[in-house]
Amino acid sequence: SYEEGRLVYGNRIWVDPGFSINPNYTRKVSVLGAEASNLRFGEADSAVRTINAWVASLTRNRIPRLVASLDPTTQLVLVNAIYFRDSWLFPVKEGKEESMFKVLRYLEDEDLSREVSVNMMSVTEDSVRLGLFKFNDLDTYEDLLIRIPYRDEDLEFQIILPNEKWGAYGLKRIEKILEEEVNRDQFH
């Protein structure tokens, strides 16, 4: 697990003792900080308690029960857990006025998007003008990146807004770009 300020995360692989993992896979996931441990899934209730205790400890009991049950024939469980809590560097006010928000949903080529009414957060124009929130055009990707800093200035909330011209494929396109960058950085 990793802890700096209020960000804690961990990756764990539990493997039944009768099951073996390819050593190349173990080596690659160790780059991501994943630990591998043996766990007897035949004792399903005990295995559930072990996994939930690890997640609860890591997330400071914010996630006390991730796994409800396991089949006794399970051979491998991969778990990622994250705990994060911080305040914005520049406070954001919860909006009292409702605004329309578009929820994107595509099924194959069919646009099933809809608009819903939600309370919005807001900041002052001065905050934006002073550069407290950063907006960047991602020239290569033709999308917009919004970065909002947390009090621990090493951390920021990043929002990537796909260019509307990509329609149903905007988010999938961004996922593919990010996945390629992670793979390039982590495994090469």
Side-chain angles (χ1 to χ4, degrees):
S1 69
Y2 173 81
E3 183 169 352
E4 182 176 299
R6 294 173 185 88
L7 173 66
V8 181
Y9 66 89
N11 303 299
R12 189 98 196 241
I13 302 169
W14 278 279
V15 183
D16 191 83
F19 184 73
S20 63
I21 300 176
N22 182 320
N24 290 331
Y25 177 78
T26 305
R27 193 170 31 258
K28 285 187 177 187
V29 296
S30 71
V31 170
L32 302 173
E35 299 175 34
S37 302
N38 284 330
L39 188 59
R40 295 190 185 285
F41 294 108
E43 302 166 11
D45 291 340
S46 176
V48 165
R49 283 192 301 275
T50 298
I51 293 170
N52 286 335
W54 178 81
V55 172
S57 173
L58 186 72
T59 63
R60 299 178 183 164
N61 290 315
R62 295 289 187 186
I63 305 173
R65 184 173 174 230
L66 179 68
V67 178
S69 65
L70 288 169
D71 185 298
T73 62
T74 299
Q75 296 195 354
L76 183 138
V77 172
L78 173 62
V79 175
N80 307 100
I82 298 173
Y83 170 81
F84 176 72
R85 182 181 176 105
D86 204 351
S87 300
W88 301 114
L89 181 60
F90 306 103
V92 176
K93 296 177 185 173
E94 184 176 329
K96 303 241 187 273
E97 293 181 27
E98 291 189 354
S99 296
M100 297 309 287
F101 181 80
K102 186 171 186 179
V103 178
L104 299 177
R105 182 158 189 261
Y106 297 96
L107 184 59
E108 301 199 10
D109 288 331
E110 186 180 357
D111 185 352
L112 302 174
S113 301
R114 60 189 172 88
E115 289 195 359
V116 295
S117 181
V118 296
N119 287 338
M120 294 285 194
M121 296 188 307
S122 63
V123 296
T124 64
E125 283 185 38
D126 288 339
S127 298
V128 175
R129 194 170 40 253
L130 293 171
L132 305 181
F133 298 90
K134 297 178 173 71
F135 299 85
N136 300 85
D137 286 321
L138 300 176
D139 296 331
T140 309
Y141 313 130
E142 302 173 336
D143 303 305
L144 180 68
L145 170 67
I146 302 169
R147 300 180 311 176
I148 305 172
Y150 287 102
R151 190 175 39 176
D152 174 351
E153 294 183 50
D154 290 336
L155 300 173
E156 62 186 13
F157 182 62
Q158 295 187 353
I159 304 166
I160 300 175
L161 299 175
N163 188 309
E164 286 187 43
K165 76 177 186 180
W166 295 103
Y169 303 102
L171 290 176
K172 289 181 189 228
R173 196 178 111 270
I174 288 175
E175 268 183 30
K176 186 174 189 251
I177 291 166
L178 293 175
E179 185 177 286
E180 287 171 358
E181 287 182 16
V182 166
N183 288 335
R184 185 183 60 244
D185 293 344
Q186 295 292 329
F187 299 115
H188 297 294

